[in-house]
Amino acid sequence: MAKKFFVVPVKKREEELRAAFWEQIKSIPRGDKIQNCIQCGTCTGTCPVSYMMDITPREIVALFRAGHLEDILHSRAIWICASCYSCRVRCPSGILVTDLMYALKRLAMNKKIYPPKFPVHALSKAFIFNIYKYGRNFEIGLAIRYFLKADPKKLLASTGFGFAMIKKGRISLLPKSIKKVKEIRAIIDKAKQLEKEGA
Amino acid sequence: MEFAYYPGCSLENTGKPYDMSIREVFKSLGVGLREIEDWNCCGATMYMSVDKIVGFAVSARNLALAQNMGLDICAPCSSCYTTLRKTNRHMEWNLHSRKLINESLKAANLSYEKMVEVRHPLDILVNDVGIDKILSACPYEFDGLRIAPYYGCMIVRPVFDFDDLDDPMTMNTLFSALGAEVVDYPDKVRCCGGMLMTTFEEVALNLNNHLLQCAEDNGAELIATTCPLCQMNLESYQSQINRKFNLNHHIPIVYFSQIVGLALGISPAKLGMNTLLIQLPNLKLKSKASRVAV
């Protein structure tokens, strides 16, 4: 093989992660458009929460190009994205930035790489636990499960508004399961199996 | 006109007034809503972060159930609306995924082949029923009630087919027709933070503070929303926002369907007005007949 010049050697770990990332990207419509990023920063400018991100959406693409995918996965940024789709409708290169964020979240979950002291992924985990168990989301159960893991102090802080909502009949204390919960579990099990085989 | 009704998990709990008012308004206008039997959670933004095919398959079960009813879906929750539509688009775009999703559905003896449309009730009311028909059914009209229309993210993004992406006007037109005064609301499509209120409160409180401030600065007496999560964030965190920023926000957050329901003469209790945490001090409703008499 001809030797390439000016190409920084990529570490093996990074190479593995990149392969997994491209696998995720392939499943997004127009996923390969990430290569067309012109680094204009419109995504960052239009993002309502970028001011709190440790690395901005534009920087995420830049870091990816520079071979720092693992750093991206360690960042809080991908978990701060609220999925409002502002960037997606604005990107002049037609990159589906929000879906890119989801792909990064999935990769992080898959490889169990999370930002330190920021267990936001636990909410997604608690959420899918509820769906498997009841077929529907159980709001108060979700909040308790998440806060116990992430920030138990918050549980106490939220009781005030929780009581108000209970009094108004807007929070039920018992989960409501769908009738055919076995059906939903069968679908999830089968889809998981197919996804694993595909990966 | 009939739709398969997909309330979604929020409308069973925190979004109860939304569910109550949608059902009442549709009934009153003669639009059928048949709840999808034994529907499940759409997966929201959460499943997308974990497993893609699983997330779509969970969502597609509802689409398959509606397809079997032979009806298009009416989904009031903006998050459900986006997730279900995203599943549709994905299955159209990626035939391989479509096969995998259908194989998963087969585990429950379901299949989803004939795409059903997913519609937002605001779209149905204004574009299918039509403002003229709504007006002719309304015995009341508003008398100078100042409303800030808040559209939030997901009914105009990522795909905007029934309204403008930057400056949606559906609610503006509807409320003006009902006699209300719609105030200028430049933040109408800015994000409320959604689940960030749980995961990163600091950011979400800031976002919601902006939304409330913008409405108040423009003289709104209330904010009308189209999404249960926006409603909850804006309404139930006002006291926390006040404490954090040393402010005095106290503005009712209602659903657009409650506004329509009031003009239709449906009793406030049936529309769930009494379940709001911040009550509307004055509905400013007057009967249309009185205007004719004058």
Side-chain angles (χ1 to χ4, degrees), chain A residues 66-85:
Chain A
H68 296 287
L69 185 51
E70 191 161 3
D71 291 342
I72 300 174
L73 297 181
H74 276 296
S75 78
R76 290 180 167 205
I78 55 176
W79 299 102
I80 292 177
C81 166
S83 182
C84 79
Y85 293 97

mmCIF file of all heavy atoms in Angstrom, chain A residues 66-85:
data_model
loop_
_atom_site.group_PDB
_atom_site.id
_atom_site.type_symbol
_atom_site.label_atom_id
_atom_site.label_comp_id
_atom_site.label_asym_id
_atom_site.label_seq_id
_atom_site.Cartn_x
_atom_site.Cartn_y
_atom_site.Cartn_z
ATOM 1 N N ALA A 66 -10.924 15.690 13.482
ATOM 2 C CA ALA A 66 -9.559 15.678 13.985
ATOM 3 C C ALA A 66 -9.213 14.362 14.683
ATOM 4 O O ALA A 66 -8.111 14.188 15.183
ATOM 5 C CB ALA A 66 -9.353 16.852 14.932
ATOM 6 N N GLY A 67 -10.183 13.435 14.737
ATOM 7 C CA GLY A 67 -9.905 12.136 15.335
ATOM 8 C C GLY A 67 -10.055 12.099 16.849
ATOM 9 O O GLY A 67 -9.308 11.419 17.542
ATOM 10 N N HIS A 68 -11.006 12.857 17.375
ATOM 11 C CA HIS A 68 -11.215 12.837 18.830
ATOM 12 C C HIS A 68 -12.627 12.399 19.195
ATOM 13 O O HIS A 68 -13.284 13.021 20.021
ATOM 14 C CB HIS A 68 -10.956 14.234 19.410
ATOM 15 C CG HIS A 68 -9.549 14.693 19.267
ATOM 16 N ND1 HIS A 68 -8.526 14.177 20.028
ATOM 17 C CD2 HIS A 68 -8.972 15.588 18.424
ATOM 18 C CE1 HIS A 68 -7.380 14.750 19.678
ATOM 19 N NE2 HIS A 68 -7.633 15.603 18.696
ATOM 20 N N LEU A 69 -13.062 11.339 18.578
ATOM 21 C CA LEU A 69 -14.423 10.871 18.830
ATOM 22 C C LEU A 69 -14.636 10.517 20.297
ATOM 23 O O LEU A 69 -15.680 10.785 20.870
ATOM 24 C CB LEU A 69 -14.725 9.656 17.926
ATOM 25 C CG LEU A 69 -16.130 9.096 17.966
ATOM 26 C CD1 LEU A 69 -17.178 10.171 17.757
ATOM 27 C CD2 LEU A 69 -16.304 8.009 16.911
ATOM 28 N N GLU A 70 -13.615 9.938 20.899
ATOM 29 C CA GLU A 70 -13.775 9.536 22.306
ATOM 30 C C GLU A 70 -14.013 10.749 23.207
ATOM 31 O O GLU A 70 -14.818 10.696 24.129
ATOM 32 C CB GLU A 70 -12.567 8.731 22.782
ATOM 33 C CG GLU A 70 -12.837 8.080 24.122
ATOM 34 C CD GLU A 70 -11.917 6.925 24.437
ATOM 35 O OE1 GLU A 70 -11.013 6.631 23.640
ATOM 36 O OE2 GLU A 70 -12.124 6.310 25.506
ATOM 37 N N ASP A 71 -13.340 11.857 22.902
ATOM 38 C CA ASP A 71 -13.561 13.083 23.679
ATOM 39 C C ASP A 71 -15.002 13.565 23.537
ATOM 40 O O ASP A 71 -15.603 14.067 24.489
ATOM 41 C CB ASP A 71 -12.608 14.195 23.227
ATOM 42 C CG ASP A 71 -11.175 13.875 23.597
ATOM 43 O OD1 ASP A 71 -10.990 13.007 24.466
ATOM 44 O OD2 ASP A 71 -10.258 14.475 23.014
ATOM 45 N N ILE A 72 -15.517 13.408 22.319
ATOM 46 C CA ILE A 72 -16.910 13.825 22.099
ATOM 47 C C ILE A 72 -17.835 13.008 22.989
ATOM 48 O O ILE A 72 -18.741 13.541 23.628
ATOM 49 C CB ILE A 72 -17.313 13.633 20.618
ATOM 50 C CG1 ILE A 72 -16.424 14.474 19.707
ATOM 51 C CG2 ILE A 72 -18.782 13.990 20.410
ATOM 52 C CD1 ILE A 72 -16.651 14.236 18.221
ATOM 53 N N LEU A 73 -17.577 11.711 23.046
ATOM 54 C CA LEU A 73 -18.457 10.849 23.839
ATOM 55 C C LEU A 73 -18.350 11.142 25.336
ATOM 56 O O LEU A 73 -19.275 10.900 26.084
ATOM 57 C CB LEU A 73 -18.142 9.376 23.565
ATOM 58 C CG LEU A 73 -18.373 8.921 22.122
ATOM 59 C CD1 LEU A 73 -18.051 7.444 21.969
ATOM 60 C CD2 LEU A 73 -19.804 9.177 21.673
ATOM 61 N N HIS A 74 -17.200 11.665 25.758
ATOM 62 C CA HIS A 74 -17.045 12.025 27.170
ATOM 63 C C HIS A 74 -17.669 13.377 27.493
ATOM 64 O O HIS A 74 -17.713 13.782 28.646
ATOM 65 C CB HIS A 74 -15.559 12.069 27.543
ATOM 66 C CG HIS A 74 -15.004 10.720 27.884
ATOM 67 N ND1 HIS A 74 -15.440 10.001 28.962
ATOM 68 C CD2 HIS A 74 -14.074 9.953 27.272
ATOM 69 C CE1 HIS A 74 -14.786 8.844 29.013
ATOM 70 N NE2 HIS A 74 -13.964 8.785 27.988
ATOM 71 N N SER A 75 -18.126 14.102 26.459
ATOM 72 C CA SER A 75 -18.623 15.458 26.695
ATOM 73 C C SER A 75 -20.065 15.445 27.199
ATOM 74 O O SER A 75 -20.813 14.493 26.984
ATOM 75 C CB SER A 75 -18.566 16.271 25.403
ATOM 76 O OG SER A 75 -19.646 15.906 24.572
ATOM 77 N N ARG A 76 -20.438 16.532 27.855
ATOM 78 C CA ARG A 76 -21.825 16.678 28.305
ATOM 79 C C ARG A 76 -22.731 17.092 27.152
ATOM 80 O O ARG A 76 -23.931 16.922 27.205
ATOM 81 C CB ARG A 76 -21.915 17.764 29.369
ATOM 82 C CG ARG A 76 -21.277 17.389 30.674
ATOM 83 C CD ARG A 76 -21.425 18.546 31.640
ATOM 84 N NE ARG A 76 -21.095 18.096 32.979
ATOM 85 C CZ ARG A 76 -21.561 18.670 34.083
ATOM 86 N NH1 ARG A 76 -22.354 19.707 33.991
ATOM 87 N NH2 ARG A 76 -21.241 18.207 35.264
ATOM 88 N N ALA A 77 -22.092 17.692 26.136
ATOM 89 C CA ALA A 77 -22.857 18.344 25.074
ATOM 90 C C ALA A 77 -23.949 17.457 24.484
ATOM 91 O O ALA A 77 -25.096 17.889 24.349
ATOM 92 C CB ALA A 77 -21.912 18.810 23.975
ATOM 93 N N ILE A 78 -23.593 16.216 24.142
ATOM 94 C CA ILE A 78 -24.584 15.383 23.463
ATOM 95 C C ILE A 78 -25.794 15.100 24.357
ATOM 96 O O ILE A 78 -26.889 14.883 23.878
ATOM 97 C CB ILE A 78 -23.976 14.061 22.920
ATOM 98 C CG1 ILE A 78 -23.271 13.271 24.014
ATOM 99 C CG2 ILE A 78 -23.023 14.343 21.780
ATOM 100 C CD1 ILE A 78 -22.737 11.910 23.525
ATOM 101 N N TRP A 79 -25.588 15.146 25.681
ATOM 102 C CA TRP A 79 -26.701 14.892 26.604
ATOM 103 C C TRP A 79 -27.455 16.161 26.953
ATOM 104 O O TRP A 79 -28.528 16.114 27.535
ATOM 105 C CB TRP A 79 -26.198 14.189 27.873
ATOM 106 C CG TRP A 79 -25.575 12.877 27.534
ATOM 107 C CD1 TRP A 79 -24.243 12.589 27.461
ATOM 108 C CD2 TRP A 79 -26.259 11.678 27.156
ATOM 109 N NE1 TRP A 79 -24.063 11.302 27.058
ATOM 110 C CE2 TRP A 79 -25.267 10.712 26.873
ATOM 111 C CE3 TRP A 79 -27.606 11.324 27.020
ATOM 112 C CZ2 TRP A 79 -25.586 9.409 26.464
ATOM 113 C CZ3 TRP A 79 -27.915 10.030 26.625
ATOM 114 C CH2 TRP A 79 -26.917 9.091 26.351
ATOM 115 N N ILE A 80 -26.861 17.304 26.628
ATOM 116 C CA ILE A 80 -27.573 18.563 26.877
ATOM 117 C C ILE A 80 -28.544 18.861 25.736
ATOM 118 O O ILE A 80 -29.559 19.522 25.922
ATOM 119 C CB ILE A 80 -26.567 19.720 27.072
ATOM 120 C CG1 ILE A 80 -25.800 19.507 28.385
ATOM 121 C CG2 ILE A 80 -27.273 21.066 27.110
ATOM 122 C CD1 ILE A 80 -24.743 20.540 28.656
ATOM 123 N N CYS A 81 -28.253 18.350 24.551
ATOM 124 C CA CYS A 81 -29.143 18.563 23.396
ATOM 125 C C CYS A 81 -30.567 18.177 23.778
ATOM 126 O O CYS A 81 -30.832 17.077 24.234
ATOM 127 C CB CYS A 81 -28.678 17.716 22.217
ATOM 128 S SG CYS A 81 -29.912 17.608 20.897
ATOM 129 N N ALA A 82 -31.502 19.131 23.613
ATOM 130 C CA ALA A 82 -32.888 18.877 24.009
ATOM 131 C C ALA A 82 -33.714 18.374 22.832
ATOM 132 O O ALA A 82 -34.912 18.202 22.946
ATOM 133 C CB ALA A 82 -33.519 20.154 24.564
ATOM 134 N N SER A 83 -33.066 18.167 21.699
ATOM 135 C CA SER A 83 -33.738 17.646 20.518
ATOM 136 C C SER A 83 -34.842 18.585 20.026
ATOM 137 O O SER A 83 -35.953 18.171 19.742
ATOM 138 C CB SER A 83 -34.319 16.260 20.856
ATOM 139 O OG SER A 83 -34.935 15.685 19.741
ATOM 140 N N CYS A 84 -34.484 19.868 19.867
ATOM 141 C CA CYS A 84 -35.494 20.849 19.435
ATOM 142 C C CYS A 84 -35.471 21.043 17.926
ATOM 143 O O CYS A 84 -36.330 21.727 17.373
ATOM 144 C CB CYS A 84 -35.294 22.187 20.138
ATOM 145 S SG CYS A 84 -33.973 23.189 19.425
ATOM 146 N N TYR A 85 -34.486 20.479 17.274
ATOM 147 C CA TYR A 85 -34.369 20.476 15.802
ATOM 148 C C TYR A 85 -34.108 21.839 15.177
ATOM 149 O O TYR A 85 -34.257 21.990 13.967
ATOM 150 C CB TYR A 85 -35.616 19.849 15.148
ATOM 151 C CG TYR A 85 -35.781 18.378 15.424
ATOM 152 C CD1 TYR A 85 -36.616 17.920 16.437
ATOM 153 C CD2 TYR A 85 -35.091 17.435 14.661
ATOM 154 C CE1 TYR A 85 -36.768 16.571 16.693
ATOM 155 C CE2 TYR A 85 -35.250 16.077 14.916
ATOM 156 C CZ TYR A 85 -36.089 15.646 15.927
ATOM 157 O OH TYR A 85 -36.240 14.307 16.184
#
